[in-house]
Amino acid sequence: YAHRLFRKRDIDVDLATAVAGSEDYGGEGYRFNPAKRALLSNGDALEFGTLVWSAGLAPRAFIQDLDAEAFPRHPRNKRLLVDNYLRVKGHEGSLWAMGDAAVNEVGVPLPQLAQVARQQGIYLAKVLNGKQSEDEKPFQFFSLGSMASMGELKGVYDGSTAGPLRDRSQETEKGWMPPALKGFSALLLWRFAYWGRQTSIANKILIPMYWFKTFVFGRDTSW
């Protein structure tokens, strides 16, 4: 569904393709000299005027600058290694890590989503406030599914991953799963979830006002 929307909007999508780098290209006849082009992993080259490149997430400099021997990290993404209780390896009981700063090398990797960090925050708040001992219950992420706003009053929602995160390759039968939604109904679900997670009363009042202004006047691109 999303791919069809992109095609209608004259957006080209190259699946399983990454930007490997960029290089100078051309000379005369270009507004910017030298012009640039992106080198793709499939061998193609893409000339561009403006390139918006989303190349993944990395931990903050604070995490990257820590002593690797004292604070074990994942060899590829350099995130702090934690156990099933979000305790930093080698510092159990004194240091915890969560969100994009941490990764558990045992079990199913957690997606880098706000809902993961929120649930981890609630879990650690119970531990740090003494309402739960540090090794009483391992952290268990409960997925709410995946959703996105696609613009023009359309959205998508995938409920196939909803529920406790586990190794789904070991499942033998599937129970009931939330339906996949698309279009305006998925957008309503996305907006309700976004609005419902606001903790500020002011934001809960202002956000619908901004949505209404955008619906009536369009997005302001002047700034």
Side-chain angles (χ1 to χ4, degrees), residues 104-176:
N104 188 341
E105 63 178 349
V106 180
V108 182
L110 297 180
Q112 295 173 245
L113 300 173
Q115 57 177 301
V116 174
R118 177 180 180 274
Q119 293 180 32
Q120 289 177 330
I122 294 174
Y123 173 89
L124 284 183
K126 295 179 180 178
V127 174
L128 299 178
N129 287 325
K131 297 181 179 179
Q132 175 180 305
S133 62
E134 63 177 83
D135 57 355
E136 176 181 338
K137 183 175 68 172
F139 173 75
Q140 174 67 62
F141 170 57
F142 189 94
S143 174
L144 302 177
S146 302
M147 63 182 68
S149 172
M150 305 300 297
E152 298 180 357
L153 297 180
K154 294 180 176 63
V156 290
Y157 170 73
D158 176 18
S160 63
T161 60
L165 190 66
R166 55 196 179 277
D167 187 354
R168 299 179 185 274
S169 64
Q170 304 299 320
E171 294 183 14
T172 57
E173 61 180 77
K174 292 183 178 292
W176 180 87

Side-chain angles (χ1 to χ4, degrees), residues 219-223:
R219 293 190 178 275
D220 184 4
T221 60
S222 61
W223 55 278

